[in-house]
Amino acid sequence: MLNNSLTRILQIRYPIIQGGLAYVANGKLAAAVSNAGGLGQVGAAGRTPEAFREQIRVAKSLTDQPFGVNIPVSRHTDNSPYVQVALEEAANIVSVSLSAGDPRPFVPSLKAAGLKVLLVVATVRQAVRAQEVGADVLICEGFEAGGHDSPLENTVFTLVPQVVQIAEVPVVAAGGVASGRQVAAAFMLGAEGVQMGTRFVATAECEAHPRYKDLLVQAGDDGTVVLERTLGVSTRVLKNDYAAAALDVERADPSGLKLRPLMTGERNRLAAIDGRTDEGYLYAGQSVGLISSVVPAGEAIEQIVEETRRALGNTSQYQAWL
């Protein structure tokens, strides 16, 4: 066990957090990650509140280790039903991570319920505000991440050390992370752990369609593309014919009006869950080039931990990994 502030706060063995993963962060995956010593998370994105609750209970039935949930708090969606589920399931979870929007309306009630609150930030300014509102952990997400990223496009390598300078709570590096060498690098930047998304899509327990997983394994370092810049956001997805067509539409119509219908959640579900990859897009981070196989989540964590140990060598500060 690496005994640092992050592992103590979350009661986990290894400072590895599984990302929220729209549509595919199911209870079975969360339990597998937690059983292996990380922090699994059940994702609310793409689920009804009832389905969200069901997956929390699936995870609870499969693990006696701590796990959490992720709730995107987009201003375009009524997030209160999902937060209410988290509050009602507080006895079963250890934490709630909030991403993709303003978390301030929800943090007080979550903390009052005894839950640890993890807030995703993409700038130093956001990190300062997150601390002010009571974040227990800051997840610094760089532009390398799959899914919706900050339009400011800060990278992990630059964002994490700047946030560490002002941080009063543990900092987690997120975005494009899928290997032990990167975990070791995150430590050197001042982070106390990492969050991984794409690596955990390509695992046996994830409910993503096998075609999605295969495409992740086949992708190289140039396997992703960013869409929706014309809409004031940045969405990193796997390169495929659908994404290429969407990018052509975006270039031809900078207003973004023709692009919006192509980037709905339903288009993501069709590809990620149904495997109809010619009809939708797939979230993926720049870590795809590091993913060479679909393995059980526990095996992925074991590989990452062993690689982290080798990368750290005899660094005395991290003897617990050796």
Side-chain angles (χ1 to χ4, degrees):
M1 178 174 181
L2 178 57
N3 186 20
N4 66 14
S5 297
L6 181 68
T7 58
R8 288 194 296 271
I9 286 173
L10 299 177
Q11 307 163 50
I12 55 179
R13 184 179 184 192
Y14 300 123
I16 297 173
I17 298 171
Q18 169 229 317
L21 304 174
Y23 287 98
V24 300
N26 53 312
K28 187 176 181 180
L29 173 61
V33 171
S34 290
N35 283 334
L39 181 77
Q41 294 195 104
V42 173
R47 305 187 194 280
T48 64
E50 294 74 20
F52 179 43
R53 186 192 306 276
E54 178 183 353
Q55 290 303 311
I56 292 172
R57 294 186 177 180
V58 167
K60 185 63 179 177
S61 73
L62 296 173
T63 186
D64 59 359
Q65 299 301 306
F67 68 94
V69 300
N70 169 259
I71 304 173
V73 287
S74 167
R75 66 181 183 276
H76 303 299
T77 305
D78 180 8
N79 310 288
S80 55
Y82 298 93
V83 173
Q84 186 59 37
V85 169
L87 292 171
E88 292 170 1
E89 297 293 326
N92 291 329
I93 61 178
V94 70
S95 62
V96 177
S97 68
L98 302 176
S99 58
D102 183 358
R104 288 175 292 182
F106 311 108
V107 173
S109 61
L110 293 171
K111 290 181 71 71
L115 295 165
K116 301 303 180 184
V117 176
L118 290 57
L119 298 185
V120 177
V121 301
T123 66
V124 173
R125 184 178 182 183
Q126 288 178 4
V128 170
R129 290 180 173 177
Q131 288 189 138
E132 290 174 348
V133 79
D136 295 292
V137 175
L138 300 174
I139 299 177
C140 292
E141 186 171 80
F143 179 57
E144 303 92 330
H148 298 298
D149 297 321
S150 167
L152 297 178
E153 302 187 3
N154 287 327
T155 66
V156 172
F157 208 78
T158 54
L159 177 63
V160 169
Q162 292 182 76
V163 171
V164 166
Q165 289 180 335
I166 59 90
E168 299 172 358
V169 298
V171 171
V172 170
V177 182
S179 73
R181 287 186 177 184
Q182 291 170 295
V183 177
F187 289 155
M188 297 304 111
L189 293 175
E192 294 196 46
V194 298
Q195 177 172 283
M196 300 183 182
T198 308
R199 168 65 272 190
F200 287 119
V201 176
T203 57
E205 296 86 354
C206 182
E207 67 179 307
H209 193 277
R211 178 62 177 156
Y212 185 0
K213 299 177 187 183
D214 289 343
L215 289 172
L216 292 177
V217 171
Q218 294 165 19
D221 62 333
D222 62 346
T224 67
V225 63
V226 176
L227 301 173
E228 297 194 289
R229 281 191 173 106
T230 54
L231 298 177
V233 296
S234 297
T235 304
R236 187 174 296 279
V237 303
L238 200 63
K239 284 183 178 177
N240 66 2
D241 289 345
Y242 187 91
L247 186 60
D248 287 343
V249 169
E250 184 169 13
R251 288 169 173 161
D253 177 28
S255 73
L257 294 177
K258 294 181 180 178
L259 178 65
R260 281 194 177 96
L262 303 179
M263 298 301 295
T264 62
E266 175 62 15
R267 289 295 178 178
N268 181 215
R269 188 195 65 78
L270 284 173
I273 297 296
D274 295 347
R276 293 156 62 179
T277 55
D278 58 340
E279 299 178 47
Y281 61 93
L282 298 161
Y283 293 132
Q286 288 186 312
S287 62
V288 287
L290 295 166
I291 299 170
S292 59
S293 61
V294 176
V295 298
E299 184 176 327
I301 289 178
E302 289 174 5
Q303 292 172 351
I304 290 163
V305 168
E306 181 55 35
E307 187 179 349
T308 303
R309 289 182 172 132
R310 292 197 303 270
L312 290 171
N314 293 320
T315 309
S316 60
Q317 184 178 355
Y318 301 102
Q319 283 294 314
W321 279 85
L322 303 177

